[in-house]
């Protein structure tokens, strides 16, 4: 495998290597520098995405589909207790003029407000938020305003880190017009999800979203690299 590093990354690799040589006795620092080295060398990223929204909107079905989880969901509704964390790899994400791979942690968060005390812990170190709702349930259109203010506005996330999914349950049809949402929500990108009729369209749109988040992570990493050099 031939890997070409930019001049900037080469400078970082040299700094990491020289630091490792000087700090052989500091095992924890050596480990951190090694992780930084491999991230730069192989262009890999890791991101934490929160999947949130009202109860019974279809978050778990979407999470299983997007992560290729083989778990089957029976006819009876089984609410998520707290959170489920699904890990998978996403490849060929567009990152500027190159494609990169990414390790994704998809956090399928419970929609019951009784878990509200856990929300700060769920938000810690998150890189993106996906709000799922059922557009056929009027109360969901209002409730997602709370999810937005708590998980997106409070963290100061940018639009590229956010996604709205109007998830249509099986047999409900698929009205693909944009539902009437609050002004702050209308600024966010929205896709319609119908896993019965057009499942791969949903996967492709989610893949694009991951690419947007990864570009932001890449830009942040480059800024950190420059700060090390300077």
């Amino acid at each position: 495998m031939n890997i070409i590093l930019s001049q900037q990354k080469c400078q970082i690799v040299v700094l990491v290597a020289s630091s490792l040589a000087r700090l052989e006795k500091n095992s924890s620092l050596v480990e951190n520098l090694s992780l930084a080295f491999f991230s730069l060398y192989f262009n890999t990223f890791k991101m934490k995405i929160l999947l949130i929204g009202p109860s019974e909107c279809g978050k778990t079905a979407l999470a299983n589909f997007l992560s290729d989880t083989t778990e089957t969901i029976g006819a009876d509704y089984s609410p998520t207790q707290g959170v489920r964390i699904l890990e998978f790899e996403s490849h060929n994400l567009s990152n500027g003029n190159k494609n990169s791979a990414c390790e994704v942690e998809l956090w399928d968060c419970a929609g019951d407000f009784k878990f509200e005390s856990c929300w700060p812990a769920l938000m810690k170190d998150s890189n993106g938020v996906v709000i799922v709702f059922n557009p056929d349930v009027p109360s969901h259109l209002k409730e997602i305003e709370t999810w937005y203010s708590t998980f997106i506005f409070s963290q100061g996330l940018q639009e590229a880190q956010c996604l709205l999914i109007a998830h249509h349950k099986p047999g409900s049809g698929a009205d693909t017009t944009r539902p009437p949402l609050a002004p702050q929500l209308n600024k966010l990108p929205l896709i319609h999800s119908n896993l019965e009729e057009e499942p791969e369209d949903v996967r492709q749109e989610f893949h694009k979203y991951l690419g947007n988040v990864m570009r932001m992570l890449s830009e942040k990493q480059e800024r950190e690299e420059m700060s090390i050099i300077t």
Side-chain angles (χ1 to χ4, degrees):
M1 177 173 58
N2 296 321
I3 300 176
I4 299 175
L5 298 179
S6 66
Q7 181 179 1
Q8 180 179 329
K9 283 186 169 56
C10 285
Q11 289 177 294
I12 299 298
V13 169
V14 170
L15 286 173
V16 170
S18 60
S19 297
L20 288 173
R22 292 195 307 267
L23 300 168
E24 288 180 342
K25 295 181 180 180
N26 190 331
S27 59
S28 62
L29 187 53
V30 168
E31 181 180 358
N32 290 335
L33 288 170
S34 298
L35 289 173
F37 173 82
F38 284 112
S39 177
L40 289 167
Y41 193 82
F42 292 107
N43 275 328
T44 59
F45 296 86
K46 185 171 185 176
M47 68 175 72
K48 172 182 175 180
I49 304 296
L50 304 183
L51 197 67
I52 62 173
S55 297
E56 298 189 61
C57 65
K59 296 187 296 297
T60 294
L62 268 172
N64 288 340
F65 172 74
L66 295 173
S67 63
D68 288 322
T69 300
T70 56
E71 176 183 343
T72 57
I73 303 299
D76 295 332
Y77 170 66
S78 178
T80 299
Q81 299 300 309
V83 66
R84 300 164 62 241
I85 302 175
L86 307 175
E87 297 182 344
F88 61 98
E89 291 186 0
S90 188
H91 301 279
N92 298 320
L93 295 175
S94 177
N95 182 17
N97 58 358
K98 61 182 181 296
N99 289 332
S100 301
C102 185
E103 296 179 7
V104 181
E105 283 186 0
L106 188 60
W107 290 47
D108 174 19
C109 305
D112 196 322
F113 278 74
K114 72 180 182 181
F115 297 106
E116 186 174 357
S117 61
C118 301
W119 290 355
L122 299 181
M123 288 187 281
K124 185 176 178 356
D125 298 327
S126 60
N127 306 114
V129 171
V130 177
I131 299 180
V132 183
F133 65 99
N134 185 340
D136 300 317
V137 180
S139 63
H140 283 195
L141 304 184
K142 184 65 178 176
E143 184 180 328
I144 60 176
E145 295 179 28
T146 300
W147 292 100
Y148 169 86
S149 62
T150 302
F151 283 83
I152 295 177
F153 181 76
S154 67
Q155 295 191 89
L157 298 184
Q158 299 184 30
E159 292 177 17
Q161 295 174 271
C162 308
L163 180 66
L164 300 176
I165 299 183
H167 182 62
H168 301 269
K169 294 293 185 70
S172 64
D175 181 3
T176 56
T177 59
R178 191 176 182 102
L181 301 173
Q184 64 271 29
L185 292 166
N186 275 326
K187 298 177 182 179
L188 304 181
L190 180 145
I191 66 171
H192 287 267
S193 166
N194 189 322
L195 298 183
E196 277 191 329
E197 297 183 7
E198 298 175 330
E200 289 310 311
D201 288 352
V202 179
R203 195 189 301 278
Q204 290 177 13
E205 290 296 330
F206 185 70
H207 191 264
K208 282 195 227 174
Y209 163 71
L210 293 180
N212 292 336
V213 176
M214 191 188 61
R215 276 192 293 277
M216 295 195 64
L217 292 177
S218 178
E219 291 169 2
K220 178 182 177 183
Q221 184 186 69
E222 288 176 0
R223 289 193 297 269
E224 291 174 349
E225 292 170 6
M226 290 302 300
S227 69
I228 295 174
I229 295 173
T230 57

